[in-house]
Amino acid sequence: MRTVAAHTVWLASYPRSGNTWTRAVLTRLAPPEQPGADERDLDLNALGGGPIAGSRSVLDPYLGFASSDLLPAEVDAVRPACEAAFDADLDRLRLRKAHDALRMTRGGPPVVPPHATRAAVYLVRDPRDVAVSWAHFTGRSMASVVAEMADPGAALADTDDRLLGQARQRLGTWSWHVTSWTADPPFPVTVSRYEDLRADPVGGFARMASSLGLAVDRERVVAAVAATRFDRLRALEAAHGFGERSSVPTPFFRRGAAGGWRDDLPARLARRIEEDHGAAMTRFGYIPG
Amino acid sequence: VARLNAPVGVGPVPRRLPGTVHSGPLWQAAPDSYLFDLPTVGRFLARRHGDGVRVTVRPAPGATEADVACLLAGPVRTACRLLNGDLALHGSGAVLDGRAVALTGDPAAGRSTLAAALAVRGHPILADGALPIRRTGTGFVAEPADDGLQLWPDTARLLGLTGGAVIRPGLPKRHHRFPAAPAAPLAAVVVLRRWGGAGAPVPRTLTGVSALHPLAHCTAGRSLIAPFGVTAAHFAWCAGIVAEVPVFELCGDRHRDDASVLADTVEALVRRADVGLSTVDVR
């Protein structure tokens, strides 16, 4: 029986919802791994100190063989046990990104193990902004991205053509994704709207840090927010590269703006998103009820 | 199963392994035995006896011979090796002009792809998945384990390969046969990394702990080393390789098909491995 508290905090979101920015800020707020780490530039390629949920760098060592020998459904079934084994080997807090929906059906098994999870932060962003950012990131049309956001079978890293460093991560629809993480989760989940964090990053991240049990004063939050401004993240990406960028030759850190969809998203696609995801958008204040 | 080096029989396999000292997802380990259980394929028991290791398989209903063979060649073969006290590096191996290179590194770093790029240039293959490396009186020797490589469609396409044998029904990767090499002295270990935004691949020499860590991390069946009682032998093996064999880190770009450039680099590394690598510009 497990007697040690879990060390994993999941930073969960639908893709392009501010996950990496949040991870960068919280990495600055977590206790430094080494003295003086606070003063150094952020290392974009070591944010949070742990790989994304579904990374084969977690799966393969704990399986003891290549997870690419398993069928996708077999990988899905064994992922929670691998994540739990990874957590059991940790000796300090790790902030790990997750893009999966927490469950694929109501009452279905969670993709991350509750007994090996300390807490989670779920970031929700206006799906109209998500669509614009996701289209830029992947180099796809906005129409195809909007359709994918309404597809219950949508998944990341779901290809039969090549071996990727991450196993399949099932997203479901945008609405289902939000619901799966925020309706009756099996561990404490702090829900934050991306737009609120952009409007008041110091207040928002101070509350988030407090909810995770990170003892930080306001000065430290101010410094962390300043160190992770978008222009700084873009400069770090330009100088050192960023392993999470896509194959499209555009920066990972694009605008980070809230409400930019009004300039970029065709009206018919905005309406389609509002029709597809009305209930969840109303719940989070993106459209009136 | 080719080169499992253990007799395999079909029979009852318990759900629980008596004397388990360590377990993980899908497996349990005791000092002299290993139980692997994948419900969709079957249960596998490898046990050390006085005359070597024997394997018993209880296939699951509906599992194909290919399903069973794939798992025998993967985790079960790794456990059998370790039960015999033999160590291997995750990854592939090829022989260039009579000298072996071990290609190890992160999952999906392109180990098999790079081995295939070397194979189509005429360099025979030693292994894919795990490369056995044995210390001999004259140094470390990489030993043959496989006669081909498991390649995904994109890699096969890139290298102009067609066909290939099914590994498991439902798995898109295929087994492509290549000329197999005999055992050869280990000339270099290349630790592959792959990420987005990497520049042109330039080898970086690893020494001391920076070399020891990836070797320990990339040892096949790492989680079984302690339960099988080979921790000291494993440390001596890693330290010996670091002391006697050049270890390089080579970072490729996961968004670029740079197998040919990586193969050029590895050829240069192995060709010059005996003339003072620290002073050689291999770019």
Side-chain angles (χ1 to χ4, degrees):
Chain A
M1 177 178 288
R2 188 185 180 96
T3 56
V4 180
H7 290 91
T8 301
V9 171
W10 297 105
L11 298 186
S13 71
Y14 200 86
R16 308 305 289 176
S17 299
N19 195 309
T20 304
W21 175 51
T22 300
R23 208 154 32 110
V25 178
L26 289 180
T27 296
R28 285 302 242 199
L29 295 179
E33 202 158 345
Q34 296 160 342
D38 269 2
E39 283 74 48
R40 288 197 285 274
D41 264 350
L42 202 63
D43 181 354
L44 286 181
N45 294 298
L47 295 179
I52 189 170
S55 169
R56 295 190 195 277
S57 67
V58 170
L59 301 177
D60 290 18
Y62 289 101
L63 289 172
F65 66 104
S67 54
S68 61
D69 282 349
L70 299 178
L71 306 179
E74 293 168 345
V75 176
D76 290 344
V78 80
R79 272 184 55 188
C82 291
E83 300 292 5
F86 182 86
D87 181 78
D89 281 347
L90 298 178
D91 59 2
R92 56 186 288 274
L93 183 79
R94 299 285 173 174
L95 306 162
R96 294 185 56 198
K97 177 158 81 171
H99 278 328
D100 307 83
L102 180 57
R103 310 173 193 273
M104 287 314 294
T105 55
R106 283 188 197 281
V111 72
V112 297
H115 67 283
T117 295
R118 178 181 294 189
V121 170
Y122 186 75
L123 295 161
V124 59
R125 185 184 188 187
D126 188 324
R128 295 165 294 193
D129 276 334
V130 170
V132 173
S133 180
W134 192 225
H136 278 285
F137 182 71
T138 56
R140 292 161 49 200
S141 73
M142 291 189 195
S144 94
V145 166
V146 169
E148 183 175 51
M149 291 171 71
D151 177 3
L156 298 178
D158 192 16
T159 173
D160 278 349
D161 192 53
R162 57 190 307 214
L163 177 62
L164 298 173
Q166 298 169 17
R168 177 180 70 173
Q169 297 143 60
R170 292 191 290 178
L171 302 172
T173 68
W174 180 87
S175 294
W176 172 253
H177 198 282
V178 173
T179 302
S180 76
W181 280 96
T182 59
D184 194 25
F187 39 71
V189 176
T190 299
V191 182
S192 292
R193 289 192 346 150
Y194 178 76
E195 295 76 12
D196 296 338
L197 289 172
R198 295 300 294 173
D200 176 20
V202 172
F205 283 116
R207 285 189 292 276
M208 189 183 291
S210 172
S211 77
L212 297 176
L214 299 174
V216 292
D217 56 34
R218 183 179 167 80
E219 278 182 22
R220 190 129 181 260
V221 181
V222 170
V225 168
T228 55
R229 285 198 326 253
F230 259 64
D231 58 334
R232 294 205 172 175
L233 296 177
R234 271 197 300 267
L236 286 172
E237 182 183 1
H240 305 295
F242 185 34
E244 296 180 25
R245 78 167 174 80
S246 76
S247 58
V248 178
T250 55
F252 183 95
F253 298 101
R254 200 176 63 88
R255 287 177 61 191
W261 64 271
R262 291 186 177 84
D263 301 326
D264 297 329
L265 189 66
R268 66 183 171 78
L269 294 179
R271 279 196 303 277
R272 162 91 193 267
I273 290 174
E274 292 156 12
E275 289 163 9
D276 288 341
H277 307 291
M281 290 180 74
T282 301
R283 182 177 163 210
F284 286 96
Y286 294 126
I287 55 176
Chain B
V1 176
R3 296 178 181 168
L4 182 61
N5 289 333
V8 181
V10 175
V13 174
R15 290 184 186 280
R16 296 280 169 206
L17 183 66
T20 292
V21 294
H22 195 38
S23 61
L26 306 180
W27 58 267
Q28 300 158 56
D32 64 350
S33 50
Y34 168 82
L35 190 150
F36 180 84
D37 186 358
L38 181 61
T40 45
V41 175
R43 290 201 294 277
F44 303 73
L45 176 66
R47 188 182 294 281
R48 185 167 50 213
H49 297 266
D51 56 349
V53 177
R54 290 181 221 161
V55 175
T56 307
V57 183
R58 181 187 178 280
T64 67
E65 282 187 29
D67 290 327
V68 172
C70 179
L71 277 303
L72 279 172
V76 178
R77 181 164 62 160
T78 293
C80 289
R81 273 201 199 102
L82 282 170
L83 283 167
N84 280 322
D86 298 327
L87 292 154
L89 276 180
H90 265 307
S92 304
V95 173
L96 291 71
D97 300 327
R99 299 151 63 77
V101 59
L103 307 171
T104 189
D106 301 331
R111 300 167 300 200
S112 298
T113 299
L114 178 51
L118 292 168
V120 298
R121 294 177 180 204
H123 304 300
I125 290 302
L126 280 166
D128 188 31
L131 175 66
I133 297 172
R134 188 188 297 272
R135 182 169 218 157
T136 71
T138 56
F140 284 93
V141 169
E143 300 188 322
D146 299 295
D147 59 359
L149 297 163
Q150 296 186 3
L151 303 177
W152 287 70
D154 69 322
T155 298
R157 213 165 42 241
L158 177 71
L159 298 172
L161 303 169
T162 56
V166 170
I167 296 166
R168 280 187 71 188
L171 278 188
K173 63 180 179 180
R174 294 284 181 270
H175 181 269
H176 292 264
R177 192 176 286 270
F178 289 102
L186 184 63
V189 175
V190 175
V191 180
L192 287 169
R193 310 281 186 210
R194 189 161 286 266
W195 60 296
V202 176
R204 185 167 74 95
T205 304
L206 302 179
T207 57
V209 173
S210 69
L212 195 64
H213 183 264
L215 291 190
H217 189 77
C218 294
T219 301
R222 180 167 51 107
S223 300
L224 302 175
I225 287 168
F228 289 172
V230 289
T231 304
H234 175 237
F235 181 79
W237 180 79
C238 291
I241 293 174
V242 170
E244 297 178 26
V245 180
V247 180
F248 302 96
E249 182 182 69
L250 193 53
C251 188
D253 191 318
R254 68 182 165 92
H255 298 309
R256 203 164 48 217
D257 293 327
D258 50 8
S260 178
V261 178
L262 291 170
D264 289 344
T265 308
V266 169
E267 284 180 332
L269 285 174
V270 176
R271 199 163 51 238
R272 302 181 186 190
D274 57 346
V275 293
L277 283 157
S278 61
T279 62
V280 173
D281 179 6
V282 294
R283 283 172 284 184

